[in-house]
Amino acid sequence: MGEDGDWEDVKEDVDNDGDDRVGDGDEEMNENGDEAPGEDGDGAAKKKKKKKKKKTGAAAKLVKGTPSNKAEGRFLNEGSFTDYYVAHGQTEPPTLPVVNLFRGEDDEDPSRKGLPTFPQGEIQEHPLESNSHRVSSEELRAADRLQQDLYDKLRHASEVHRQVRHHAQSFIKPGIKLIDMCERLEETNRRLVQECGLERGIGFPTGCSLNHVAAHYTPNSGDDTVLSYDDVMKVDFGTQIDGRIIDCAWTVSFNPKYDPLLEAVKEATNAGIKAAGIDVRLCDIGESVQEVMESYEVELEGKTYPVKATYHKCIRNLNGHSMGPYHIHAGKSVPIVKCDDQTKMEENEIFAIETFGSTGRGYIVEDMECSHYMKNFHAPHVPLRVPRAKKLLAHINKTFGTLAFCRRWLEREDGGSATVNKQGGRQEKYLGALKNLCDVGIVQPYPPLVDVKGCYTAQYEHTLILRPTCKEILSRGDDY
Ligand code: HZT
Ligand code: MN
Ligand code: MN
């Protein structure tokens, strides 16, 4: 059971045109390269119900810059999702910095006059009886108010993440080149966060790992990989404000045969989120996650083969993690299987809760060409003599600091940030130097993490903060 190939045995003919690798190419595009609304890009994403078009003057066709409430992509709540930010003045496609949409005068607190108010995440109570006093404790509410600045940054970055991913969900279709997808997503991220060097920007490279690749794949330049109808893609991207990173991911698929896998992983992540809280043991979170993940039975109905039932499993050597300023992995790992880690979560900690399910072995190894890199947060200062390595390190220090980066960004005209590298920052012949920095331990490579070939992996991830009074799931959206 659960052996590789279970999924391959099953050929469901959900695809009706037999042309699932590359988009038909006849979609109507507006000047921004966006598909015009009203046209269904591919057979798989077809909506069960057609939404009535709003009749407003010239509303038959959407023009760049006009508001819309169309929600695209599978699993999205049609209509409702973008309403609120379009109501706040965002364009469709989104072009405006999110900060401009929330400049509120609607705050009762006079000390916050003129400051933008970003939407809160989902609020949950901390589990455990010992936390029941937290909601109403005056002392803890005061402690909570002292952290408003931190919450503002996290909520701002979260709102950028929601709007960027909503836009991405509208253009991710079979046939898209992954490198184009990443560049478009990252460009939207830069624009909506109003990129400003290390102050505000992208949190880490856009992961778009396919199938048995679970994490840490983004195309290097020259990689022509195209997304196909039968792929299972983990889109994992980040937004940061003053180093406060929102790390949040979902899984894209078109073929409904993967729905039970995606559903199981989504619910497993939600179980991990629900179990998290002040004084909760990390091992108990792992157990909750595993229980939900493995409760989902997958039924595969083949045409010629008998029905096989199997269970997907957690990828036991992948984890969630605590996060600190400019520090994606601040020290604590959140297991997604039963284990014996008695470490507890603590007040004010920020966690990325992520779970991975797999139809394969449920165990990943590093493989394939590396794209992701990050300075070792605790690396001591090492003076370098090799000129290329010295120059590359200076570039990394000013452009990314201790945030993760990828090769594609080093090769951009701006070297990864137009605000930092005003005279241009493209790195040339840098690969040797990058390897030197890895060899001496200043930079850490993060190669793709893969399960066995032929299997499928899925991921869902959210960022939350353990406030003194409650737990806030910052990156929660109407989509997942
Ligand atoms: C490393 C490098 C990056 C952190 C988790 C992760 C994507 O697997 C302890 C637990 C970006 C992130 C990271 F470029 N990693 N979340 N989202 N990857 S991790 C890790 O290295 S360390 C998990
Ligand atoms: Mn992530
Ligand atoms: Mn993460």
Side-chain angles (χ1 to χ4, degrees):
M1 243 210 281
E3 285 301 302
D4 316 327
D6 278 4
W7 293 82
E8 291 315 310
D9 295 339
V10 185
K11 279 269 177 286
E12 281 172 306
D13 205 11
V14 262
D15 185 25
N16 36 26
D17 60 357
D19 170 31
D20 57 26
R21 277 209 82 81
V22 184
D24 297 63
D26 56 0
E27 295 96 345
E28 215 180 323
M29 300 286 181
N30 66 21
E31 61 199 279
N32 211 37
D34 289 285
E35 228 177 81
E39 299 284 316
D40 259 326
D42 62 11
K46 254 180 200 142
K47 305 279 162 17
K48 280 175 197 129
K49 286 179 274 178
K50 277 264 177 196
K51 246 211 126 194
K52 269 189 214 157
K53 272 185 206 144
K54 246 193 207 163
K55 287 228 170 86
T56 57
K61 196 174 172 190
L62 196 79
V63 182
K64 183 183 174 192
T66 56
S68 153
N69 57 11
K70 189 176 196 291
E72 292 174 79
R74 301 173 67 226
F75 311 124
L76 300 186
N77 305 325
E78 220 175 315
S80 66
F81 183 49
T82 63
D83 285 359
Y84 79 95
Y85 75 67
V86 169
H88 281 270
Q90 186 54 281
T91 59
E92 175 69 43
T95 56
L96 306 175
V98 163
V99 68
N100 294 355
L101 311 180
F102 292 93
R103 295 215 189 272
E105 300 83 45
D106 55 335
D107 208 295
E108 313 98 66
D109 183 349
S111 74
R112 296 186 39 75
K113 213 174 163 75
L115 292 174
T117 305
F118 300 101
Q120 277 201 2
E122 182 200 358
I123 303 296
Q124 290 182 9
E125 277 182 36
H126 290 292
L128 302 181
E129 186 57 38
S130 52
N131 284 320
S132 59
H133 67 290
R134 290 184 173 275
V135 190
S136 51
S137 156
E138 262 318 314
E139 191 187 335
L140 293 174
R141 286 157 67 103
D144 198 82
R145 278 194 296 274
L146 289 175
Q147 307 215 74
Q148 192 60 42
D149 274 11
L150 169 62
Y151 303 158
D152 279 340
K153 288 168 189 172
L154 290 163
R155 288 171 187 165
H156 181 181
S158 299
E159 183 56 28
V160 172
H161 197 286
R162 280 187 289 272
Q163 295 195 15
V164 171
R165 80 198 192 217
H166 178 263
H167 181 49
Q169 284 154 1
S170 78
F171 65 71
I172 297 177
K173 305 254 168 87
I176 196 168
K177 260 181 75 172
L178 294 184
I179 204 160
D180 297 341
M181 177 193 79
C182 289
E183 284 176 356
R184 199 163 162 195
L185 186 154
E186 289 165 5
E187 214 40 57
T188 310
N189 202 356
R190 289 175 202 279
R191 201 156 165 175
L192 300 203
V193 77
Q194 207 164 50
E195 198 230 271
C196 180
L198 291 173
E199 256 176 62
R200 296 186 295 273
I202 299 180
F204 53 86
T206 307
C208 55
S209 308
L210 298 181
N211 308 324
H212 72 293
V213 184
H216 296 173
Y217 163 79
T218 198
N220 287 331
S221 44
D223 180 335
D224 283 328
T225 306
V226 169
L227 183 63
S228 89
Y229 175 79
D230 283 313
D231 283 333
V232 177
M233 176 171 65
K234 283 67 65 183
V235 185
D236 191 345
F237 77 95
T239 304
Q240 67 87 12
I241 304 223
D242 270 336
R244 298 302 176 165
I245 305 163
I246 293 298
D247 179 4
C248 177
W250 79 102
T251 299
V252 172
S253 71
F254 306 96
N255 190 328
K257 74 181 180 183
Y258 306 118
D259 288 359
L261 171 66
L262 270 62
E263 208 50 42
V265 180
K266 188 190 287 182
E267 288 318 312
T269 295
N270 281 330
I273 289 168
K274 200 171 162 195
I278 293 168
D279 295 333
V280 171
R281 284 190 206 89
L282 295 172
C283 57
D284 293 338
I285 297 175
E287 193 170 343
S288 306
V289 167
Q290 186 171 21
E291 151 132 30
V292 169
M293 185 82 76
E294 295 180 357
S295 72
Y296 276 74
E297 191 169 333
V298 186
E299 284 181 45
L300 299 174
E301 280 184 83
K303 278 186 179 156
T304 47
Y305 296 98
V307 175
K308 277 188 183 178
T310 186
Y311 301 89
H312 25 248
K313 18 181 184 271
C314 295
I315 301 184
R316 59 186 183 275
N317 58 340
L318 284 174
N319 302 104
H321 47 99
S322 59
M323 293 190 286
Y326 300 101
H327 200 185
I328 189 92
H329 180 220
K332 288 185 185 173
S333 289
V334 185
I336 60 173
V337 290
K338 202 174 163 199
C339 65
D340 50 26
D341 191 342
Q342 303 288 314
T343 312
K344 287 177 175 177
M345 291 183 157
E346 294 169 71
E347 187 173 296
N348 297 325
E349 281 182 323
I350 298 169
F351 283 94
I353 300 292
E354 57 191 300
T355 80
F356 292 82
S358 172
T359 63
R361 179 170 55 167
Y363 187 90
I364 53 89
V365 295
E366 296 181 348
D367 190 28
M368 312 195 302
E369 189 174 88
C370 190
S371 56
H372 289 46
Y373 300 84
M374 185 164 62
K375 266 192 80 180
N376 180 346
F377 198 86
H378 301 291
H381 174 76
V382 183
L384 294 165
R385 288 162 298 104
V386 185
R388 275 195 207 279
K390 200 179 159 87
K391 183 179 171 281
L392 178 62
L393 181 57
H395 177 82
I396 291 168
N397 282 337
K398 65 173 189 281
T399 312
F400 311 113
T402 54
L403 294 171
F405 58 94
C406 60
R407 290 196 205 174
R408 271 191 293 111
W409 296 352
L410 297 173
E411 295 164 25
R412 285 166 55 94
E413 178 54 44
D414 66 11
S417 168
T419 35
V420 172
N421 307 300
K422 292 198 179 65
Q423 304 334 328
R426 188 196 308 282
Q427 301 298 294
E428 273 153 358
K429 303 198 187 93
Y430 64 84
L431 264 182
L434 184 55
K435 187 169 184 308
N436 292 160
L437 296 178
C438 292
D439 288 344
V440 299
I442 297 174
V443 170
Q444 174 88 36
Y446 289 85
L449 304 174
V450 314
D451 201 326
V452 289
K453 209 158 184 172
C455 80
Y456 295 94
T457 63
Q459 173 202 20
Y460 282 88
E461 177 173 28
H462 276 298
T463 294
L464 56 79
I465 181 164
L466 304 180
R467 291 168 49 182
T469 53
C470 65
K471 167 169 67 184
E472 181 169 347
I473 300 98
L474 295 150
S475 51
R476 181 73 78 194
D478 282 1
D479 47 352
Y480 64 92

